[in-house]
Amino acid sequence: MSEVGQYKNFVRIISEFWNGVFLIEITGSFKELETFFKLSPPIFIRHVCPFQFKVDLAGQKDKQQLFAVLAELTRLLSKEKSFSIQLRGDKSSELRGFLQDYLVGKGFVLQIKNPVQIVSGIVKNEELYLGVSLASENLSSWAGGACHFAVEKEQISRAEFKLLELMDLGILQLPTQGNVLDIGAAPGGWSRILAQKGLQVVAVDPANLDSRLIENENIVHYKEIIQEYLAVEKKSCFEVILNDMKMEAIESAYIMREAADLLTENSGVAVMTLKLPHIKVKQKIGKVKKILASEYRIIGMRNLFHNRQEVTAVLQKY
Ligand SMILES: C[S@@+](CC[C@H](N)C(=O)[O-])C[C@H]1O[C@@H](n2cnc3c(N)ncnc32)[C@H](O)[C@@H]1O
């Protein structure tokens, strides 16, 4: 949670609900915190939500206090916009059902997937924290930033979820047509998603692609390391470069710098996964940013729910 230190004039940690989930106090409004995050986006904080209410669930007769809070809460919700409930902690499924029925009964529009408003809650030690915000204010529209995508039978690798998460967060927008260089492509999950979107993929990896991709007309595989490929290819012909290579982050950043010349002049977007050490993470990220700075502006950098000991950066060529 050392990243909170970056916002220390604004944020104070009060307690930890459970591993990695903190109750914080902010000196300004939730809107101001959102603006703060927009100006200086966090890398390791995946989700944030406001709690305007606290209910003591123990020793309540007739849920009186809860109903009083719900009456207040409905004033913060709009009937014009859909809502969903994201409740975590003890007995949360039981309580979620109750809250859902209550709000639907009052005429609010429930929409589980992609709701506009979120009623967030945490139940811990018989205390319920509740709040309302727009999904767009919470850094992620999934509870706790934990996005769970359905597994498709065509899925090739778990790495596919990283790409889907970047798009879901709105950090990455892929073009509808054009050429993509997929560096470190095997077994081919990212290439599969790109090809499915109608993009023409050059996949570079010394390892084999999944056999289901061999006949794919949108994918050409160069079975070699990227250093060999870059030594030969010099044309600026790619709209997008993706790099999910299993490689030390600084070495990988130098490759991204060299590869920048292959991006088309106007629209060039790149994605890079940085494999991180367990110590001195901040220094490593700082060095990578410095290396990339001559060629790219960093649009976003996040420790995704589907990242392991890594962060993924989205870059825009200058
Ligand atoms: C995590 S996997 C990539 C998974 C892929 N994104 C997917 O969706 O299936 C990392 C890959 O990086 C490749 N790799 C490592 N060093 C490389 C290099 N110098 N050039 C090209 N690929 C490299 C490995 O062979 C490995 O297949």
Side-chain angles (χ1 to χ4, degrees), residues 182-207:
D182 187 5
I183 307 174
W190 287 17
S191 293
R192 179 187 84 85
I193 292 177
L194 300 162
Q196 197 183 39
K197 290 189 176 295
L199 295 158
Q200 301 299 312
V201 185
V202 171
V204 181
D205 199 307

Side-chain angles (χ1 to χ4, degrees), residues 20-55:
V21 180
F22 294 86
L23 179 64
I24 59 167
E25 183 179 55
I26 54 176
T27 53
S29 67
F30 187 65
K31 197 94 205 126
E32 281 172 90
L33 182 66
E34 192 212 348
T35 312
F36 240 68
F37 281 161
K38 274 214 176 100
L39 294 173
S40 180
I43 298 175
F44 293 96
I45 301 171
R46 294 198 192 117
H47 184 255
V48 63
C49 59
F51 295 139
Q52 293 96 353
F53 309 102
K54 186 175 162 190
V55 183

Side-chain angles (χ1 to χ4, degrees), residues 7-8 24 36 44 51 55 97 107 109 112 122 128 130 152 159 170 178 203 224 242-243 263 268 274 284 315:
Y7 311 96
K8 65 176 179 292
I24 59 167
F36 240 68
F44 293 96
F51 295 139
V55 183
V109 184
I112 308 284
I122 284 189
L128 165 66
L130 265 187
E152 295 177 14
E224 60 190 14
L242 305 179
N243 166 5
L263 280 169
L274 284 69
K284 181 71 79 177
L315 316 168

Side-chain angles (χ1 to χ4, degrees), residues 95-108:
L95 203 53
R96 184 184 304 111
F98 167 76
L99 292 177
Q100 225 161 263
D101 291 348
Y102 175 89
L103 292 172
V104 171
K106 295 276 175 207
F108 293 95

Side-chain angles (χ1 to χ4, degrees), residues 157 159 184-190 204-207 225-227 244-247:
S157 64
W190 287 17
V204 181
D205 199 307
I225 58 171
I226 186 64
Q227 294 87 335
D244 193 28
M245 260 188 304
K246 193 170 180 196
M247 182 181 279

